[in-house]
Amino acid sequence: MAAPVDGKRRAFGSRLLSDPAKVFHHNAWDNVEWSEEQAAAAEKKVQENSTQRVCPERQVDYEVNAHKYWNDFYKIHENGFFKDRHWLFTEFPELAPRQNENYLKDLHLENKRNEIPECGSSDNGSDLTIKEQHKCPASLGHKIQKPPEEEAITQKLSHLMVCTDSFPGSSATYRILEVGCGVGNTVFPILQTNSDPGLFVYCCDFSSTAIELVQTNSEYDPSRCFAFVHDLCDEDQRYPMPKESLDVIVLIFVLSAIVPDKMQNAISRLSKLLKPGGVMLLRDYGRYDMAQLRFKKGQCLSGNFYVRGDGTRVYFFTQDELDALFTTAGLEKVQNLVDRRLQVNRGKQLTMYRVWIQCKYRKPRMSATS
């Protein structure tokens, strides 16, 4: 197989196993087709390991003390469990350098099409700086009669002007939030790779231990990043940024860690933080992934939801389930793919079938009639 162009990592789906005899020539193969027998065997295995459920008392403990189990996890592993996710820039170019400039150009063109006053750099004006505010016609003392739709947009801009100095990263032109950041395996590659001076990255985690590890990392720069403890499921907890202020929200193997009944509210709350045109990026476990098939009887909490030996929990999604979560939150599908990957341990001559789902959903841009 030809080497990647310019030495860059291939996007998933580009390395195909055409000759089974060459299975151990690489560490992983993409888009591996499952036979009917293999799919049936996986379904049977899930049925078997789901027959015996965790008792209600233990289920309550895993929910109430979820923060304790994750704190214990990070106290044991610290920053040595997960590898830095440099593959993110291949799969999600929204996180890569120079993407910001193109993104802002797109928003500028969109604003002109929708006749939005050009006092800010984004659809809803959340990037408006104090200097730019003084350039607005309203600050010159002239009375201008606006159409109703422009008046509504101006009112929203005015509200955001009041908020711009009251949150971390308020002067940034491109804002990314990672939910469930762990010890920074996504955040630090973004900060290291993307040198855009207008970039600001927020990251939060349920575990105070994880956030402490992020904040004490030598790569942590408070002028470009803000790490904070946050419970994704707690509707009474506020995020440190206003609504419609984020360009990108990243969810990497985090939504699967919460109770299924609480997933919709969590996604809906996050959706409100996105600017019009902003995107939510997700990569998480898919149904019948190797990790699901390895669970034993007595570890199942509910359908496709399990508890690991360390007390942390995991759910295994279908594409339709994720699509319903995002679209119910008012987002539009850009990408919803299954990554069926065959991972290979060439030293031990072992094959492992992984199933992940990768999604990208966009918040609709404002139109002149909205």
Side-chain angles (χ1 to χ4, degrees), residues 89 93-101 104 127 168-178 186-202 221-226 246-248 250 275:
F89 306 106
E94 291 81 2
L95 305 175
R98 295 188 299 277
Q99 173 67 22
N100 303 0
E101 181 181 352
L104 293 174
D127 296 335
S170 57
S171 62
T173 56
Y174 197 79
R175 304 187 188 95
I176 298 172
L177 165 65
E178 186 195 7
T186 295
V187 170
F188 292 125
I190 292 175
L191 293 173
Q192 292 162 2
T193 305
N194 196 330
S195 59
D196 178 4
L199 172 70
F200 196 87
V201 181
Y202 308 88
D221 181 357
S223 69
R224 303 185 67 213
C225 183
F226 180 70
L246 299 177
D247 297 277
V248 180
V250 185
K275 296 176 183 178

Side-chain angles (χ1 to χ4, degrees), residues 52-285:
Q52 183 180 339
R53 303 292 172 93
V54 175
C55 68
E57 293 79 11
R58 292 297 295 166
Q59 296 219 25
V60 171
D61 171 66
Y62 292 130
E63 175 65 10
V64 173
N65 295 309
H67 65 287
K68 174 184 177 298
Y69 290 113
W70 279 109
N71 279 336
D72 290 345
F73 174 88
Y74 288 113
K75 286 176 182 176
I76 295 171
H77 299 288
E78 294 186 342
N79 59 359
F81 190 81
F82 299 108
K83 295 180 180 179
D84 284 350
R85 295 159 174 160
H86 294 284
W87 54 265
L88 284 167
F89 306 106
T90 302
E91 307 300 349
F92 299 127
E94 291 81 2
L95 305 175
R98 295 188 299 277
Q99 173 67 22
N100 303 0
E101 181 181 352
N102 295 333
Y103 177 86
L104 293 174
K105 285 181 180 178
D106 289 343
L107 291 183
H108 176 72
L109 293 174
E110 188 75 17
N111 288 349
K112 289 185 72 69
R113 284 196 293 269
N114 294 333
E115 299 182 345
I116 296 175
E118 296 181 27
C119 299
S121 61
S122 71
D123 283 353
N124 59 12
S126 58
D127 296 335
L128 195 66
T129 65
I130 298 299
K131 184 176 180 180
E132 288 169 330
Q133 290 174 30
H134 291 307
K135 294 180 182 178
C136 296
S139 67
L140 301 177
H142 301 297
K143 276 197 169 184
I144 301 176
Q145 189 69 34
K146 301 183 184 68
E149 62 271 14
E150 287 195 13
E151 185 66 37
I153 293 171
T154 302
Q155 290 176 2
K156 175 176 281 192
L157 290 174
S158 299
H159 168 71
L160 288 169
M161 287 178 199
V162 175
C163 299
T164 50
D165 291 329
S166 62
F167 69 100
S170 57
S171 62
T173 56
Y174 197 79
R175 304 187 188 95
I176 298 172
L177 165 65
E178 186 195 7
V179 181
C181 64
V183 296
N185 299 101
T186 295
V187 170
F188 292 125
I190 292 175
L191 293 173
Q192 292 162 2
T193 305
N194 196 330
S195 59
D196 178 4
L199 172 70
F200 196 87
V201 181
Y202 308 88
C203 57
C204 64
D205 200 277
F206 192 36
S207 167
S208 58
T209 302
I211 293 301
E212 183 179 352
L213 288 168
V214 171
Q215 293 173 337
T216 55
N217 190 302
S218 60
E219 298 288 338
Y220 184 71
D221 181 357
S223 69
R224 303 185 67 213
C225 183
F226 180 70
F228 59 101
V229 178
H230 188 86
D231 182 354
L232 183 62
C233 300
D234 188 346
E235 297 182 24
D236 294 327
Q237 280 192 25
R238 293 187 177 184
Y239 287 95
M241 70 288 292
K243 295 179 180 178
E244 299 193 349
S245 61
L246 299 177
D247 297 277
V248 180
I249 296 175
V250 185
L251 297 149
I252 306 296
F253 297 103
V254 61
L255 191 63
S256 54
I258 69 176
V259 177
D261 290 345
K262 297 183 178 181
M263 291 178 182
Q264 185 62 69
N265 283 341
I267 294 297
S268 295
R269 288 182 65 226
L270 287 171
S271 174
K272 294 176 182 178
L273 299 176
L274 283 174
K275 296 176 183 178
V279 293
M280 200 174 295
L281 311 176
L282 173 141
R283 189 167 175 86
D284 221 320
Y285 297 102

Side-chain angles (χ1 to χ4, degrees), residues 292-327:
Q292 183 178 18
L293 305 185
R294 285 184 171 182
F295 278 108
K296 308 298 183 184
K297 290 182 180 179
Q299 292 182 276
C300 185
L301 299 163
S302 59
N304 303 295
F305 190 45
Y306 300 81
V307 63
R308 302 183 181 96
D310 60 7
T312 61
R313 298 168 297 177
V314 59
Y315 186 83
F316 297 88
F317 292 99
T318 65
Q319 289 175 278
D320 289 342
E321 287 172 341
L322 287 168
D323 185 71
L325 289 172
F326 289 123
T327 55

